[in-house]
Amino acid sequence: MTVAEILKGIPKKKKEDAVWLLSSLLNCSKSDLILNRSFALAPAQSKKWESWWKRRLKGEPLQYVAGAAPFYGRDFVVNYDVLVPRPETERLVEISLALLSGRKSARLLDIGTGSGAIALSLKLESPALEVVGSDISAAALKVARENMRRLFPDSVRLEKHDLFSKKLARERWDLVVSNPPYLDLKKDKVAADVRAWEPRLALEPLTRKSVKGVSERAAWIAERILQACQKNRPAYTALELSPRIALLLERKWTRQPDVKRIWREADLAGRKRFLLVAWENG
């Protein structure tokens, strides 16, 4: 079976998905795939394609089907234990690098590292950084370690912690970065494939993790990180949130005496989703 024969039988609205999966299967770019439509898949490739396409037709995210997701110019292993890295999160990497620009060395903590996409990308882009990635999920850390092995062996400390554990709180950080759970699945509009397939632990705070004085469930984890940073006093904190939660927390923290500056940055679509804090005496 050739690429042309496969694509011919795909409905127009599904064609882009098919091209994405085929290029991943054949380890080539989308443009190379289109230019080589006469390429014939080997029997094993054809069998895998049929399996992959059935999974995609059931609504499974492309990245889980292929077992990999592109992020900041590299491919990261992903599975059902971690969120799929999003292109918009690349902006968090850029912001983090800018915050630490000019420092010869710096210590960075990535809370809720998941696949390790943020932590490893930052280390790869700035090898002088000392980077620690933490997660409460042992399964997620297994994925992060696989990505570290493939991309940059033994480059990042990957450890199991519940947010700012006592051990992490005893250490000194220049930047604490996180893309924490910031959704309320009963309130927020969430894509069907995200709701059905991605780990709930990484999407929304658990009800038993409520935070005193914060009624908005989707803000609970981010608020706990900010409270811990207020005590630990890194130079900066950088969080990826929804625009609603970023604004809520900016208003809540703007008059705190320990906050030197708090502001929001926009993603490529113009949504101010990134909350940045510069701490006094950080």
Side-chain angles (χ1 to χ4, degrees):
M1 184 182 297
T2 66
V3 169
E5 289 171 336
I6 291 173
L7 294 179
K8 184 179 179 180
I10 303 292
K12 187 176 181 179
K13 64 181 180 179
K14 299 283 188 181
K15 197 86 71 180
E16 187 176 345
D17 286 356
V19 169
W20 197 100
L21 281 178
L22 277 170
S23 61
S24 181
L25 175 66
L26 301 176
N27 195 26
C28 66
S29 68
K30 294 178 184 179
S31 57
D32 284 343
L33 185 78
I34 298 302
L35 290 172
N36 295 280
R37 295 167 68 93
S38 61
F39 178 83
L41 277 66
Q45 291 173 324
S46 295
K47 186 176 181 180
K48 179 176 281 190
W49 161 254
E50 291 173 2
S51 171
W52 280 15
W53 191 238
K54 286 179 182 177
R55 290 167 62 187
R56 179 54 185 162
L57 290 177
K58 292 179 181 178
E60 187 172 345
L62 292 164
Q63 296 87 348
Y64 287 157
V65 174
F71 184 81
Y72 220 80
R74 305 172 183 94
D75 284 337
F76 285 80
V77 170
V78 294
N79 62 23
Y80 308 133
D81 296 315
V82 297
L83 290 179
V84 173
R86 283 2 187 235
E88 52 265 34
T89 301
E90 295 180 359
R91 178 71 180 127
L92 184 60
V93 173
E94 294 171 353
I95 290 170
S96 298
L97 292 171
L99 289 173
L100 297 176
S101 177
R103 296 177 181 241
K104 291 183 179 180
S105 62
R107 302 193 74 240
L108 181 147
L109 172 63
D110 174 26
I111 295 178
T113 198
S115 67
I118 294 172
L120 287 165
S121 294
L122 285 165
K123 181 66 175 178
L124 286 159
E125 294 300 314
S126 184
L129 282 177
E130 184 180 345
V131 180
V132 176
S134 71
D135 207 294
I136 195 171
S137 167
L141 287 169
K142 184 177 180 180
V143 177
R145 291 190 180 101
E146 172 62 13
N147 281 316
M148 183 171 66
R149 185 191 67 77
R150 293 173 60 253
L151 294 169
F152 202 165
D154 301 321
S155 60
V156 171
R157 256 175 60 200
L158 295 169
E159 299 179 356
K160 188 175 185 295
H161 297 279
D162 183 1
L163 297 181
F164 236 120
S165 67
K166 290 181 179 180
K167 179 178 183 296
L168 293 176
R170 286 195 296 267
E171 299 188 47
R172 173 70 181 172
W173 307 101
D174 295 287
L175 172 63
V176 174
V177 62
S178 183
N179 178 12
Y182 57 76
L183 296 173
D184 184 332
L185 295 182
K186 292 182 179 179
K187 179 185 295 185
D188 295 315
K189 184 178 180 181
V190 182
D193 58 346
V194 172
R195 187 183 291 272
W197 294 94
E198 302 204 36
R200 185 168 183 175
L201 181 66
L203 292 173
E204 69 174 350
L206 299 176
T207 54
R208 68 174 181 271
K209 296 290 185 178
S210 61
V211 177
K212 184 178 180 180
V214 180
S215 59
E216 176 63 75
R217 175 179 178 176
W220 289 348
I221 298 298
E223 172 71 8
R224 290 177 68 199
I225 292 172
L226 291 174
Q227 289 177 356
C229 287
Q230 186 178 31
K231 295 177 181 178
N232 182 268
R233 210 63 64 85
Y236 299 100
T237 303
L239 304 177
E240 179 179 353
L241 306 166
S242 68
R244 176 171 62 87
I245 297 304
L247 178 59
L248 182 154
L249 290 175
E250 181 188 33
R251 288 172 173 170
K252 183 178 185 298
W253 282 83
T254 192
R255 292 184 178 84
Q256 288 285 339
D258 298 316
V259 173
K260 182 188 298 183
R261 182 188 175 205
I262 185 167
W263 72 105
R264 289 173 294 138
E265 293 280 355
D267 62 17
L268 294 177
R271 299 171 298 173
K272 290 192 173 183
R273 305 176 54 240
F274 302 100
L275 183 67
L276 296 309
V277 181
W279 298 95
E280 291 285 0
N281 303 316

